[in-house]
Amino acid sequence: MFISSQNSAPSFKDFTLVMPAVAVGNVGQLAVDLIVSTLNMSRVGHMHTDCLIPMAGNNPYATCKEDAEELHTPAEVYTAAELKLAVLQIRAPIVQTKSKKFRQLLVSWIKASGFSKTVVLSSSHAYQRDDQQLKGTPLRYLVTPSLLTVSEDALKELGWREMERVSAFPGLTDTNTEPRLYIPGGGITKGLYTESCTEDVPLAVLLLFCSEGDNIPDAFTLVNHLNDWLHLLDSNSQEPNKWKIPTSWNLLFGSGIPPALF
């Protein structure tokens, strides 16, 4: 359930929601970090659920010592009201046995909040691509029928490739099985997409094929593709690096090597 940090619950009517799937390389979460940090979004509440591994930490977007000590939780909601944009940042893994429950909670909240569309930022294992998925860029998208009716022209103009369905038995051509949607390493991405189709939720998935490692470049790639669609930043900006890296990224791979080792 969503718990507001304000005196009155915020209205998300006609807002666009952007959220990550906890997936390979944490690309979606890193991309969301860039959005929240760059747009200086305001925290308006959090999701209270037993579906995520409980954790807490300091403010990942701190800009000064005073706000660095704020307590932050695994799933928080930020908004940029002037852009009619909301972001759900998920910082903890989903409890393995509660994945379906968490998807249902998300779909229920999305429908109740009245978002105009939801965009899920995700990733998938590059080494498990089908032959046809080796073509073109590593970006793929999925869109539910209810969102396709209003966004088809915009998506065509962007020239993105839709996520290909693959054979259930790669290498066998004489089977009668239908091609299936397969997103290895994508976490709840496939389940959330299929349930959104069933529930008539306007939702899109943007994902990158990638590998585990330093996935910061993948995060920039994904958020730039998102910006091409949603125009979150001023397109006239002359700055080569328009995204603001949050302070928490200084510890992305842990603290430095202790000098005492040497």
Side-chain angles (χ1 to χ4, degrees), residues 87-120:
V87 162
L88 169 63
Q89 176 61 301
I90 302 172
R91 301 190 179 94
I94 301 167
V95 176
Q96 193 170 9
T97 57
K98 296 183 177 180
S99 177
K100 183 177 180 180
K101 178 182 176 183
F102 187 59
R103 296 196 309 266
Q104 292 172 338
L105 179 143
L106 287 174
V107 171
S108 175
W109 176 63
I110 289 169
K111 292 179 71 173
S113 298
F115 291 109
S116 62
K117 61 177 171 290
T118 298
V119 183
V120 179

PDB file of all heavy atoms in Angstrom, residues 87-120:
ATOM      1  N   VAL A  87       7.718   8.921 -10.091  1.00  0.00           N
ATOM      2  CA  VAL A  87       8.711   7.855 -10.183  1.00  0.00           C
ATOM      3  C   VAL A  87       8.607   6.978  -8.946  1.00  0.00           C
ATOM      4  O   VAL A  87       8.529   7.484  -7.827  1.00  0.00           O
ATOM      5  CB  VAL A  87      10.139   8.446 -10.292  1.00  0.00           C
ATOM      6  CG1 VAL A  87      11.181   7.402  -9.938  1.00  0.00           C
ATOM      7  CG2 VAL A  87      10.399   8.979 -11.685  1.00  0.00           C
ATOM      8  N   LEU A  88       8.561   5.685  -9.160  1.00  0.00           N
ATOM      9  CA  LEU A  88       8.649   4.722  -8.065  1.00  0.00           C
ATOM     10  C   LEU A  88      10.030   4.091  -8.136  1.00  0.00           C
ATOM     11  O   LEU A  88      10.357   3.421  -9.109  1.00  0.00           O
ATOM     12  CB  LEU A  88       7.571   3.640  -8.187  1.00  0.00           C
ATOM     13  CG  LEU A  88       7.719   2.421  -7.262  1.00  0.00           C
ATOM     14  CD1 LEU A  88       7.621   2.825  -5.792  1.00  0.00           C
ATOM     15  CD2 LEU A  88       6.663   1.358  -7.589  1.00  0.00           C
ATOM     16  N   GLN A  89      10.867   4.359  -7.127  1.00  0.00           N
ATOM     17  CA  GLN A  89      12.196   3.752  -7.091  1.00  0.00           C
ATOM     18  C   GLN A  89      12.179   2.547  -6.157  1.00  0.00           C
ATOM     19  O   GLN A  89      11.731   2.653  -5.011  1.00  0.00           O
ATOM     20  CB  GLN A  89      13.246   4.770  -6.623  1.00  0.00           C
ATOM     21  CG  GLN A  89      14.661   4.210  -6.455  1.00  0.00           C
ATOM     22  CD  GLN A  89      15.270   3.656  -7.744  1.00  0.00           C
ATOM     23  OE1 GLN A  89      14.723   2.740  -8.359  1.00  0.00           O
ATOM     24  NE2 GLN A  89      16.405   4.204  -8.144  1.00  0.00           N
ATOM     25  N   ILE A  90      12.643   1.416  -6.659  1.00  0.00           N
ATOM     26  CA  ILE A  90      12.694   0.174  -5.878  1.00  0.00           C
ATOM     27  C   ILE A  90      14.159  -0.151  -5.626  1.00  0.00           C
ATOM     28  O   ILE A  90      14.932  -0.309  -6.569  1.00  0.00           O
ATOM     29  CB  ILE A  90      11.999  -0.983  -6.616  1.00  0.00           C
ATOM     30  CG1 ILE A  90      10.543  -0.616  -6.902  1.00  0.00           C
ATOM     31  CG2 ILE A  90      12.080  -2.277  -5.810  1.00  0.00           C
ATOM     32  CD1 ILE A  90       9.815  -1.603  -7.799  1.00  0.00           C
ATOM     33  N   ARG A  91      14.546  -0.256  -4.362  1.00  0.00           N
ATOM     34  CA  ARG A  91      15.970  -0.410  -4.021  1.00  0.00           C
ATOM     35  C   ARG A  91      16.300  -1.770  -3.425  1.00  0.00           C
ATOM     36  O   ARG A  91      17.447  -1.999  -3.038  1.00  0.00           O
ATOM     37  CB  ARG A  91      16.385   0.674  -3.020  1.00  0.00           C
ATOM     38  CG  ARG A  91      16.187   2.096  -3.516  1.00  0.00           C
ATOM     39  CD  ARG A  91      16.822   3.107  -2.598  1.00  0.00           C
ATOM     40  NE  ARG A  91      16.644   4.450  -3.092  1.00  0.00           N
ATOM     41  CZ  ARG A  91      15.654   5.249  -2.717  1.00  0.00           C
ATOM     42  NH1 ARG A  91      14.790   4.840  -1.820  1.00  0.00           N
ATOM     43  NH2 ARG A  91      15.542   6.461  -3.224  1.00  0.00           N
ATOM     44  N   ALA A  92      15.347  -2.644  -3.303  1.00  0.00           N
ATOM     45  CA  ALA A  92      15.594  -3.938  -2.660  1.00  0.00           C
ATOM     46  C   ALA A  92      15.030  -5.065  -3.516  1.00  0.00           C
ATOM     47  O   ALA A  92      14.056  -4.879  -4.256  1.00  0.00           O
ATOM     48  CB  ALA A  92      14.954  -3.962  -1.271  1.00  0.00           C
ATOM     49  N   PRO A  93      15.625  -6.251  -3.420  1.00  0.00           N
ATOM     50  CA  PRO A  93      15.091  -7.407  -4.154  1.00  0.00           C
ATOM     51  C   PRO A  93      13.709  -7.797  -3.644  1.00  0.00           C
ATOM     52  O   PRO A  93      13.361  -7.556  -2.483  1.00  0.00           O
ATOM     53  CB  PRO A  93      16.117  -8.508  -3.867  1.00  0.00           C
ATOM     54  CG  PRO A  93      17.340  -7.803  -3.379  1.00  0.00           C
ATOM     55  CD  PRO A  93      16.863  -6.575  -2.692  1.00  0.00           C
ATOM     56  N   ILE A  94      12.936  -8.409  -4.530  1.00  0.00           N
ATOM     57  CA  ILE A  94      11.609  -8.898  -4.154  1.00  0.00           C
ATOM     58  C   ILE A  94      11.762 -10.258  -3.485  1.00  0.00           C
ATOM     59  O   ILE A  94      12.547 -11.100  -3.934  1.00  0.00           O
ATOM     60  CB  ILE A  94      10.716  -9.012  -5.401  1.00  0.00           C
ATOM     61  CG1 ILE A  94      10.581  -7.643  -6.081  1.00  0.00           C
ATOM     62  CG2 ILE A  94       9.336  -9.574  -5.050  1.00  0.00           C
ATOM     63  CD1 ILE A  94       9.991  -7.704  -7.465  1.00  0.00           C
ATOM     64  N   VAL A  95      11.041 -10.474  -2.406  1.00  0.00           N
ATOM     65  CA  VAL A  95      11.049 -11.780  -1.744  1.00  0.00           C
ATOM     66  C   VAL A  95      10.571 -12.817  -2.757  1.00  0.00           C
ATOM     67  O   VAL A  95       9.518 -12.648  -3.386  1.00  0.00           O
ATOM     68  CB  VAL A  95      10.143 -11.771  -0.491  1.00  0.00           C
ATOM     69  CG1 VAL A  95      10.087 -13.164   0.141  1.00  0.00           C
ATOM     70  CG2 VAL A  95      10.651 -10.755   0.518  1.00  0.00           C
ATOM     71  N   GLN A  96      11.336 -13.882  -2.931  1.00  0.00           N
ATOM     72  CA  GLN A  96      11.115 -14.818  -4.035  1.00  0.00           C
ATOM     73  C   GLN A  96       9.698 -15.379  -4.067  1.00  0.00           C
ATOM     74  O   GLN A  96       9.113 -15.532  -5.144  1.00  0.00           O
ATOM     75  CB  GLN A  96      12.131 -15.957  -3.942  1.00  0.00           C
ATOM     76  CG  GLN A  96      12.195 -16.818  -5.200  1.00  0.00           C
ATOM     77  CD  GLN A  96      13.371 -17.778  -5.184  1.00  0.00           C
ATOM     78  OE1 GLN A  96      14.039 -17.927  -4.174  1.00  0.00           O
ATOM     79  NE2 GLN A  96      13.610 -18.438  -6.297  1.00  0.00           N
ATOM     80  N   THR A  97       9.135 -15.683  -2.918  1.00  0.00           N
ATOM     81  CA  THR A  97       7.807 -16.303  -2.879  1.00  0.00           C
ATOM     82  C   THR A  97       6.666 -15.284  -2.989  1.00  0.00           C
ATOM     83  O   THR A  97       5.505 -15.664  -2.987  1.00  0.00           O
ATOM     84  CB  THR A  97       7.640 -17.102  -1.581  1.00  0.00           C
ATOM     85  OG1 THR A  97       7.846 -16.226  -0.461  1.00  0.00           O
ATOM     86  CG2 THR A  97       8.646 -18.244  -1.515  1.00  0.00           C
ATOM     87  N   LYS A  98       7.003 -13.993  -3.069  1.00  0.00           N
ATOM     88  CA  LYS A  98       5.965 -12.961  -3.067  1.00  0.00           C
ATOM     89  C   LYS A  98       5.993 -12.105  -4.333  1.00  0.00           C
ATOM     90  O   LYS A  98       5.455 -10.997  -4.345  1.00  0.00           O
ATOM     91  CB  LYS A  98       6.109 -12.086  -1.824  1.00  0.00           C
ATOM     92  CG  LYS A  98       5.879 -12.871  -0.531  1.00  0.00           C
ATOM     93  CD  LYS A  98       5.941 -12.004   0.703  1.00  0.00           C
ATOM     94  CE  LYS A  98       5.624 -12.830   1.951  1.00  0.00           C
ATOM     95  NZ  LYS A  98       5.677 -12.030   3.185  1.00  0.00           N
ATOM     96  N   SER A  99       6.571 -12.645  -5.384  1.00  0.00           N
ATOM     97  CA  SER A  99       6.655 -11.896  -6.636  1.00  0.00           C
ATOM     98  C   SER A  99       5.269 -11.599  -7.213  1.00  0.00           C
ATOM     99  O   SER A  99       4.970 -10.474  -7.624  1.00  0.00           O
ATOM    100  CB  SER A  99       7.491 -12.685  -7.649  1.00  0.00           C
ATOM    101  OG  SER A  99       7.534 -12.027  -8.888  1.00  0.00           O
ATOM    102  N   LYS A 100       4.403 -12.611  -7.240  1.00  0.00           N
ATOM    103  CA  LYS A 100       3.056 -12.422  -7.788  1.00  0.00           C
ATOM    104  C   LYS A 100       2.269 -11.420  -6.955  1.00  0.00           C
ATOM    105  O   LYS A 100       1.578 -10.546  -7.504  1.00  0.00           O
ATOM    106  CB  LYS A 100       2.318 -13.765  -7.840  1.00  0.00           C
ATOM    107  CG  LYS A 100       0.930 -13.667  -8.457  1.00  0.00           C
ATOM    108  CD  LYS A 100       0.260 -15.033  -8.563  1.00  0.00           C
ATOM    109  CE  LYS A 100      -1.123 -14.921  -9.191  1.00  0.00           C
ATOM    110  NZ  LYS A 100      -1.792 -16.245  -9.301  1.00  0.00           N
ATOM    111  N   LYS A 101       2.373 -11.517  -5.644  1.00  0.00           N
ATOM    112  CA  LYS A 101       1.669 -10.585  -4.756  1.00  0.00           C
ATOM    113  C   LYS A 101       2.125  -9.151  -5.005  1.00  0.00           C
ATOM    114  O   LYS A 101       1.314  -8.219  -5.029  1.00  0.00           O
ATOM    115  CB  LYS A 101       1.905 -10.975  -3.299  1.00  0.00           C
ATOM    116  CG  LYS A 101       1.246 -10.048  -2.290  1.00  0.00           C
ATOM    117  CD  LYS A 101       1.561 -10.477  -0.863  1.00  0.00           C
ATOM    118  CE  LYS A 101       0.971  -9.491   0.154  1.00  0.00           C
ATOM    119  NZ  LYS A 101       1.336  -9.864   1.553  1.00  0.00           N
ATOM    120  N   PHE A 102       3.433  -8.961  -5.228  1.00  0.00           N
ATOM    121  CA  PHE A 102       3.960  -7.621  -5.464  1.00  0.00           C
ATOM    122  C   PHE A 102       3.470  -7.073  -6.801  1.00  0.00           C
ATOM    123  O   PHE A 102       3.119  -5.893  -6.908  1.00  0.00           O
ATOM    124  CB  PHE A 102       5.488  -7.650  -5.427  1.00  0.00           C
ATOM    125  CG  PHE A 102       6.127  -6.289  -5.498  1.00  0.00           C
ATOM    126  CD1 PHE A 102       5.849  -5.327  -4.538  1.00  0.00           C
ATOM    127  CD2 PHE A 102       7.004  -5.970  -6.523  1.00  0.00           C
ATOM    128  CE1 PHE A 102       6.436  -4.062  -4.598  1.00  0.00           C
ATOM    129  CE2 PHE A 102       7.594  -4.721  -6.583  1.00  0.00           C
ATOM    130  CZ  PHE A 102       7.308  -3.760  -5.621  1.00  0.00           C
ATOM    131  N   ARG A 103       3.427  -7.918  -7.819  1.00  0.00           N
ATOM    132  CA  ARG A 103       2.902  -7.471  -9.112  1.00  0.00           C
ATOM    133  C   ARG A 103       1.449  -7.036  -8.991  1.00  0.00           C
ATOM    134  O   ARG A 103       1.039  -6.014  -9.552  1.00  0.00           O
ATOM    135  CB  ARG A 103       3.028  -8.587 -10.156  1.00  0.00           C
ATOM    136  CG  ARG A 103       4.453  -8.994 -10.499  1.00  0.00           C
ATOM    137  CD  ARG A 103       4.507  -9.790 -11.797  1.00  0.00           C
ATOM    138  NE  ARG A 103       3.574 -10.900 -11.833  1.00  0.00           N
ATOM    139  CZ  ARG A 103       3.863 -12.141 -11.498  1.00  0.00           C
ATOM    140  NH1 ARG A 103       5.093 -12.436 -11.067  1.00  0.00           N
ATOM    141  NH2 ARG A 103       2.965 -13.111 -11.584  1.00  0.00           N
ATOM    142  N   GLN A 104       0.662  -7.819  -8.267  1.00  0.00           N
ATOM    143  CA  GLN A 104      -0.748  -7.477  -8.083  1.00  0.00           C
ATOM    144  C   GLN A 104      -0.911  -6.171  -7.320  1.00  0.00           C
ATOM    145  O   GLN A 104      -1.780  -5.361  -7.639  1.00  0.00           O
ATOM    146  CB  GLN A 104      -1.460  -8.624  -7.350  1.00  0.00           C
ATOM    147  CG  GLN A 104      -1.577  -9.895  -8.184  1.00  0.00           C
ATOM    148  CD  GLN A 104      -2.101 -11.081  -7.399  1.00  0.00           C
ATOM    149  OE1 GLN A 104      -2.018 -11.118  -6.164  1.00  0.00           O
ATOM    150  NE2 GLN A 104      -2.625 -12.080  -8.097  1.00  0.00           N
ATOM    151  N   LEU A 105      -0.050  -5.962  -6.323  1.00  0.00           N
ATOM    152  CA  LEU A 105      -0.089  -4.709  -5.559  1.00  0.00           C
ATOM    153  C   LEU A 105       0.213  -3.526  -6.464  1.00  0.00           C
ATOM    154  O   LEU A 105      -0.454  -2.485  -6.396  1.00  0.00           O
ATOM    155  CB  LEU A 105       0.921  -4.789  -4.406  1.00  0.00           C
ATOM    156  CG  LEU A 105       1.058  -3.570  -3.486  1.00  0.00           C
ATOM    157  CD1 LEU A 105       1.302  -4.027  -2.050  1.00  0.00           C
ATOM    158  CD2 LEU A 105       2.203  -2.654  -3.927  1.00  0.00           C
ATOM    159  N   LEU A 106       1.214  -3.679  -7.330  1.00  0.00           N
ATOM    160  CA  LEU A 106       1.582  -2.594  -8.235  1.00  0.00           C
ATOM    161  C   LEU A 106       0.462  -2.276  -9.214  1.00  0.00           C
ATOM    162  O   LEU A 106       0.112  -1.105  -9.418  1.00  0.00           O
ATOM    163  CB  LEU A 106       2.852  -2.970  -9.008  1.00  0.00           C
ATOM    164  CG  LEU A 106       4.166  -2.946  -8.242  1.00  0.00           C
ATOM    165  CD1 LEU A 106       5.295  -3.487  -9.107  1.00  0.00           C
ATOM    166  CD2 LEU A 106       4.502  -1.536  -7.772  1.00  0.00           C
ATOM    167  N   VAL A 107      -0.112  -3.315  -9.837  1.00  0.00           N
ATOM    168  CA  VAL A 107      -1.193  -3.101 -10.804  1.00  0.00           C
ATOM    169  C   VAL A 107      -2.388  -2.436 -10.138  1.00  0.00           C
ATOM    170  O   VAL A 107      -2.992  -1.504 -10.694  1.00  0.00           O
ATOM    171  CB  VAL A 107      -1.601  -4.440 -11.466  1.00  0.00           C
ATOM    172  CG1 VAL A 107      -2.870  -4.260 -12.293  1.00  0.00           C
ATOM    173  CG2 VAL A 107      -0.476  -4.975 -12.337  1.00  0.00           C
ATOM    174  N   SER A 108      -2.718  -2.883  -8.928  1.00  0.00           N
ATOM    175  CA  SER A 108      -3.838  -2.298  -8.191  1.00  0.00           C
ATOM    176  C   SER A 108      -3.592  -0.822  -7.898  1.00  0.00           C
ATOM    177  O   SER A 108      -4.483   0.017  -8.072  1.00  0.00           O
ATOM    178  CB  SER A 108      -4.054  -3.080  -6.894  1.00  0.00           C
ATOM    179  OG  SER A 108      -5.050  -2.482  -6.105  1.00  0.00           O
ATOM    180  N   TRP A 109      -2.377  -0.491  -7.448  1.00  0.00           N
ATOM    181  CA  TRP A 109      -2.048   0.904  -7.129  1.00  0.00           C
ATOM    182  C   TRP A 109      -2.033   1.773  -8.381  1.00  0.00           C
ATOM    183  O   TRP A 109      -2.537   2.903  -8.376  1.00  0.00           O
ATOM    184  CB  TRP A 109      -0.684   0.965  -6.429  1.00  0.00           C
ATOM    185  CG  TRP A 109      -0.212   2.357  -6.136  1.00  0.00           C
ATOM    186  CD1 TRP A 109      -0.802   3.273  -5.319  1.00  0.00           C
ATOM    187  CD2 TRP A 109       0.947   3.004  -6.688  1.00  0.00           C
ATOM    188  NE1 TRP A 109      -0.072   4.445  -5.315  1.00  0.00           N
ATOM    189  CE2 TRP A 109       1.004   4.309  -6.142  1.00  0.00           C
ATOM    190  CE3 TRP A 109       1.952   2.588  -7.566  1.00  0.00           C
ATOM    191  CZ2 TRP A 109       2.015   5.215  -6.456  1.00  0.00           C
ATOM    192  CZ3 TRP A 109       2.956   3.489  -7.878  1.00  0.00           C
ATOM    193  CH2 TRP A 109       2.994   4.785  -7.329  1.00  0.00           C
ATOM    194  N   ILE A 110      -1.482   1.242  -9.471  1.00  0.00           N
ATOM    195  CA  ILE A 110      -1.432   1.995 -10.723  1.00  0.00           C
ATOM    196  C   ILE A 110      -2.844   2.333 -11.206  1.00  0.00           C
ATOM    197  O   ILE A 110      -3.140   3.458 -11.613  1.00  0.00           O
ATOM    198  CB  ILE A 110      -0.663   1.194 -11.799  1.00  0.00           C
ATOM    199  CG1 ILE A 110       0.833   1.148 -11.459  1.00  0.00           C
ATOM    200  CG2 ILE A 110      -0.874   1.790 -13.186  1.00  0.00           C
ATOM    201  CD1 ILE A 110       1.636   0.166 -12.297  1.00  0.00           C
ATOM    202  N   LYS A 111      -3.733   1.345 -11.149  1.00  0.00           N
ATOM    203  CA  LYS A 111      -5.112   1.577 -11.593  1.00  0.00           C
ATOM    204  C   LYS A 111      -5.835   2.567 -10.690  1.00  0.00           C
ATOM    205  O   LYS A 111      -6.540   3.459 -11.165  1.00  0.00           O
ATOM    206  CB  LYS A 111      -5.874   0.244 -11.635  1.00  0.00           C
ATOM    207  CG  LYS A 111      -5.393  -0.709 -12.721  1.00  0.00           C
ATOM    208  CD  LYS A 111      -6.164  -2.012 -12.710  1.00  0.00           C
ATOM    209  CE  LYS A 111      -7.584  -1.833 -13.204  1.00  0.00           C
ATOM    210  NZ  LYS A 111      -8.283  -3.132 -13.341  1.00  0.00           N
ATOM    211  N   ALA A 112      -5.652   2.421  -9.377  1.00  0.00           N
ATOM    212  CA  ALA A 112      -6.344   3.295  -8.421  1.00  0.00           C
ATOM    213  C   ALA A 112      -5.841   4.732  -8.496  1.00  0.00           C
ATOM    214  O   ALA A 112      -6.591   5.670  -8.213  1.00  0.00           O
ATOM    215  CB  ALA A 112      -6.170   2.748  -7.004  1.00  0.00           C
ATOM    216  N   SER A 113      -4.574   4.911  -8.898  1.00  0.00           N
ATOM    217  CA  SER A 113      -3.980   6.253  -8.908  1.00  0.00           C
ATOM    218  C   SER A 113      -4.339   7.055 -10.150  1.00  0.00           C
ATOM    219  O   SER A 113      -4.180   8.273 -10.164  1.00  0.00           O
ATOM    220  CB  SER A 113      -2.449   6.146  -8.793  1.00  0.00           C
ATOM    221  OG  SER A 113      -2.077   5.534  -7.577  1.00  0.00           O
ATOM    222  N   GLY A 114      -4.776   6.386 -11.207  1.00  0.00           N
ATOM    223  CA  GLY A 114      -5.195   7.089 -12.415  1.00  0.00           C
ATOM    224  C   GLY A 114      -4.053   7.589 -13.286  1.00  0.00           C
ATOM    225  O   GLY A 114      -4.182   8.619 -13.968  1.00  0.00           O
ATOM    226  N   PHE A 115      -2.913   6.876 -13.289  1.00  0.00           N
ATOM    227  CA  PHE A 115      -1.795   7.275 -14.149  1.00  0.00           C
ATOM    228  C   PHE A 115      -2.210   7.181 -15.617  1.00  0.00           C
ATOM    229  O   PHE A 115      -2.906   6.250 -16.021  1.00  0.00           O
ATOM    230  CB  PHE A 115      -0.588   6.361 -13.913  1.00  0.00           C
ATOM    231  CG  PHE A 115       0.061   6.539 -12.566  1.00  0.00           C
ATOM    232  CD1 PHE A 115      -0.052   5.566 -11.589  1.00  0.00           C
ATOM    233  CD2 PHE A 115       0.783   7.695 -12.277  1.00  0.00           C
ATOM    234  CE1 PHE A 115       0.540   5.724 -10.343  1.00  0.00           C
ATOM    235  CE2 PHE A 115       1.376   7.867 -11.038  1.00  0.00           C
ATOM    236  CZ  PHE A 115       1.262   6.883 -10.065  1.00  0.00           C
ATOM    237  N   SER A 116      -1.762   8.141 -16.417  1.00  0.00           N
ATOM    238  CA  SER A 116      -2.097   8.107 -17.847  1.00  0.00           C
ATOM    239  C   SER A 116      -1.328   6.992 -18.548  1.00  0.00           C
ATOM    240  O   SER A 116      -1.827   6.376 -19.485  1.00  0.00           O
ATOM    241  CB  SER A 116      -1.780   9.454 -18.506  1.00  0.00           C
ATOM    242  OG  SER A 116      -0.396   9.743 -18.416  1.00  0.00           O
ATOM    243  N   LYS A 117      -0.090   6.758 -18.091  1.00  0.00           N
ATOM    244  CA  LYS A 117       0.689   5.624 -18.591  1.00  0.00           C
ATOM    245  C   LYS A 117       1.784   5.295 -17.596  1.00  0.00           C
ATOM    246  O   LYS A 117       2.200   6.127 -16.797  1.00  0.00           O
ATOM    247  CB  LYS A 117       1.277   5.904 -19.976  1.00  0.00           C
ATOM    248  CG  LYS A 117       2.239   7.069 -20.078  1.00  0.00           C
ATOM    249  CD  LYS A 117       2.788   7.166 -21.494  1.00  0.00           C
ATOM    250  CE  LYS A 117       3.597   8.438 -21.734  1.00  0.00           C
ATOM    251  NZ  LYS A 117       2.760   9.652 -21.762  1.00  0.00           N
ATOM    252  N   THR A 118       2.243   4.058 -17.660  1.00  0.00           N
ATOM    253  CA  THR A 118       3.342   3.582 -16.820  1.00  0.00           C
ATOM    254  C   THR A 118       4.439   3.059 -17.716  1.00  0.00           C
ATOM    255  O   THR A 118       4.175   2.333 -18.677  1.00  0.00           O
ATOM    256  CB  THR A 118       2.858   2.461 -15.867  1.00  0.00           C
ATOM    257  OG1 THR A 118       1.849   2.988 -14.994  1.00  0.00           O
ATOM    258  CG2 THR A 118       4.009   1.910 -15.038  1.00  0.00           C
ATOM    259  N   VAL A 119       5.676   3.433 -17.419  1.00  0.00           N
ATOM    260  CA  VAL A 119       6.833   2.955 -18.182  1.00  0.00           C
ATOM    261  C   VAL A 119       7.745   2.188 -17.233  1.00  0.00           C
ATOM    262  O   VAL A 119       8.215   2.737 -16.233  1.00  0.00           O
ATOM    263  CB  VAL A 119       7.610   4.111 -18.836  1.00  0.00           C
ATOM    264  CG1 VAL A 119       8.757   3.555 -19.679  1.00  0.00           C
ATOM    265  CG2 VAL A 119       6.689   4.968 -19.689  1.00  0.00           C
ATOM    266  N   VAL A 120       7.975   0.920 -17.535  1.00  0.00           N
ATOM    267  CA  VAL A 120       8.851   0.071 -16.728  1.00  0.00           C
ATOM    268  C   VAL A 120      10.216   0.001 -17.409  1.00  0.00           C
ATOM    269  O   VAL A 120      10.313  -0.370 -18.579  1.00  0.00           O
ATOM    270  CB  VAL A 120       8.263  -1.352 -16.577  1.00  0.00           C
ATOM    271  CG1 VAL A 120       9.211  -2.228 -15.754  1.00  0.00           C
ATOM    272  CG2 VAL A 120       6.887  -1.298 -15.923  1.00  0.00           C
TER     273      VAL A 120
END
